[in-house]
Amino acid sequence: MTGSPFTQFRDLKPFSALMFSAFIVLVVFLAVQFIAALVAIPFFGIGRVSSMLEGLNIDDPETIRLLKFFQTAQAIGLFIVPSFLVAWLLDGRVMRYLSLDRTAGAVSCILVILLVFVINPFINFTGSLNAEMHLPPFLGRLEEWMRTAEKNAEELTAAFLEVDGIGGLLFNLLMVAILPAFGEELLFRGVIQQQLTRWTRSHHWGIWLAAILFSALHLQFYGFIPRMLLGGMFGYLLVWSGSLWLPVLAHFVNNAGAVIALWMIDHDIIAPEIEEFGAGTEYWPYAAASLILGGIVLFTLRKQARDAS
C-alpha cells in the first residue's frame, strides 16, 4: 500500500477492513470515555465518578444525571465519531461511504413512519415470546445471570426516563432517540453492514449479521429477537433506498415513540396497556395483522425506492 499514512488503509480486504474498524471503534470509545470522565469530575466530583466502579445507586438523582452524561458520551464515542473516522480512513468520501449523500423523499419518509407504528404490535409479540425463553437446566446459572442483567437494565431505563418537566423529556429524546438513531445506524448500517456485505458478498447476510451484532451489543437477552428484527428492517431500508436517512428516521421514530409513550403513561395521559399492545400469546391475531400490514408497507417502500432510483 502506498500514499500518506491516512490513505494507506483504503485498499484493505473486506475482513481486514472489518477488524480495523472494530479496532478504531474500541480505541475511540475508550478515549472519549476517558475524556468524559475528566470532564465529569469538576461537575460531579471525583468521589461520585469513582464510585461508579463500586456500584450504582439508581435512587440517587445525582447518580442518574451522571449516568445520563456518560450515556450521551457513549453514543458519541462508540458510534458517531468512530463511524466518521472509519469512513475517512477507509474511503475518504465520508458522506458517500456512510450513505448520507442521498436524501429520502417525502413519500418514503411518511411510509417509514407508518411502518414503525404498524409493525409495533408484531415486535411486541415477538418480545413477549422472547421473554419466556428458558435455557436448559445445566445452564441455570447463566439464565439467572441473564435475567438479573435484564432486570437491572429495565430498572436503569425506568430511572432514566422518569422525568417531570418538558426539559427532561426533551433531553431523554436527545439521549434515547436522536443520538442512538443517528449513531447506531452510522455504525451498524453505515459501516458494519456494508463491510459484512462486501465480505459475504450478500446483502442478506450483511443485513442479518449486522442486525445480530446490533441486538447483541445491547446486552438485553430477553429483548434480543425483536431488536434483531428491527435491525434487519433498518438494514433493508438502507439497501432498498441507498440512503441511511431512512433507517435513521425509522430508528428515531421507534425510540422516540417509546420515550413519549412512557412519559405520557407516567403522567396518566394514556393507559399503560397501550405501550405493550400486542405482547402476549392471546394477541396473536393482532400480531399477524401487524406483520401482514407491515409487509405491505415494506413492499410499497421497496417499490417507491426503485421508482425513485
Side-chain angles (χ1 to χ4, degrees):
M1 292 181 288
T2 60
S4 75
F6 301 110
T7 61
Q8 61 180 325
F9 304 106
R10 294 177 185 175
D11 295 323
L12 289 176
K13 299 296 183 182
F15 183 76
S16 297
L18 189 62
M19 294 299 100
F20 176 72
S21 299
F23 173 75
I24 292 294
V25 169
L26 178 61
V27 170
V28 173
F29 169 68
L30 293 176
V32 171
Q33 288 296 95
F34 177 73
I35 295 170
L38 294 179
V39 172
I41 290 173
F43 295 97
F44 297 95
I46 189 170
R48 189 175 295 276
V49 173
S50 60
S51 68
M52 291 182 62
L53 301 174
E54 303 169 4
L56 300 175
N57 178 16
I58 62 173
D59 295 323
D60 176 25
E62 197 67 15
T63 298
I64 293 300
R65 283 192 285 270
L66 177 60
L67 290 173
K68 285 185 174 184
F69 170 78
F70 276 106
Q71 181 77 9
T72 304
Q74 175 180 294
I76 297 170
L78 183 59
F79 304 119
I80 298 176
V81 175
S83 298
F84 280 105
L85 182 57
V86 166
W88 179 61
L89 290 172
L90 293 184
D91 188 271
R93 298 165 296 179
V94 174
M95 300 298 284
R96 180 177 177 181
Y97 185 87
L98 295 171
S99 301
L100 293 171
D101 60 332
R102 184 171 178 178
T103 58
V107 174
S108 294
C109 291
I110 293 170
L111 287 171
V112 162
I113 295 171
L114 177 64
L115 171 65
V116 173
F117 286 104
V118 164
I119 206 69
N120 186 255
F122 173 71
I123 295 298
N124 287 342
F125 180 77
T126 60
S128 65
L129 294 180
N130 195 168
E132 297 301 319
M133 177 186 71
H134 290 284
L135 299 179
F138 70 91
L139 294 176
R141 289 188 177 181
L142 175 61
E143 181 172 350
E144 182 180 354
W145 172 79
M146 290 167 60
R147 291 198 178 275
T148 300
E150 191 79 11
K151 180 183 177 182
N152 292 340
E154 290 176 357
E155 291 176 351
L156 182 60
T157 300
F160 271 9
L161 298 182
E162 188 176 345
V163 293
D164 293 324
I166 295 296
L169 173 62
L170 292 176
F171 183 82
N172 281 346
L173 285 172
L174 171 68
M175 179 183 68
V176 178
I178 296 175
L179 290 177
F182 185 58
E184 291 179 13
E185 292 311 304
L186 276 177
L187 181 62
F188 286 100
R189 254 57 68 180
V191 175
I192 294 177
Q193 179 176 304
Q194 75 154 302
Q195 292 181 356
L196 287 170
T197 297
R198 288 181 58 214
W199 182 38
T200 61
R201 299 181 181 180
S202 166
H203 285 308
H204 302 295
W205 275 108
I207 288 169
W208 288 108
L209 287 175
I212 290 170
L213 292 173
F214 166 71
S215 187
L217 184 72
H218 288 79
L219 295 177
Q220 290 177 274
F221 310 100
Y222 295 93
F224 182 89
I225 292 176
R227 192 173 288 107
M228 180 191 70
L229 293 175
L230 284 172
M233 185 180 79
F234 299 156
Y236 281 108
L237 289 176
L238 171 59
V239 169
W240 292 339
S241 69
S243 172
L244 192 70
W245 294 112
L246 280 189
V248 167
L249 175 62
H251 198 148
F252 168 77
V253 172
N254 180 75
N255 288 19
V259 171
I260 294 171
L262 286 173
W263 186 84
M264 295 176 74
I265 289 170
D266 287 342
H267 290 76
D268 298 320
I269 299 173
I270 61 173
E273 293 79 15
I274 293 178
E275 202 238 342
E276 295 294 328
F277 181 70
T281 54
E282 69 273 18
Y283 287 101
W284 71 264
Y286 299 101
S290 169
L291 179 60
I292 293 170
L293 289 174
I296 293 172
V297 177
L298 270 172
F299 177 80
T300 306
L301 264 166
R302 185 183 183 185
K303 185 177 184 300
Q304 175 71 23
R306 285 183 171 180
D307 292 344
S309 61

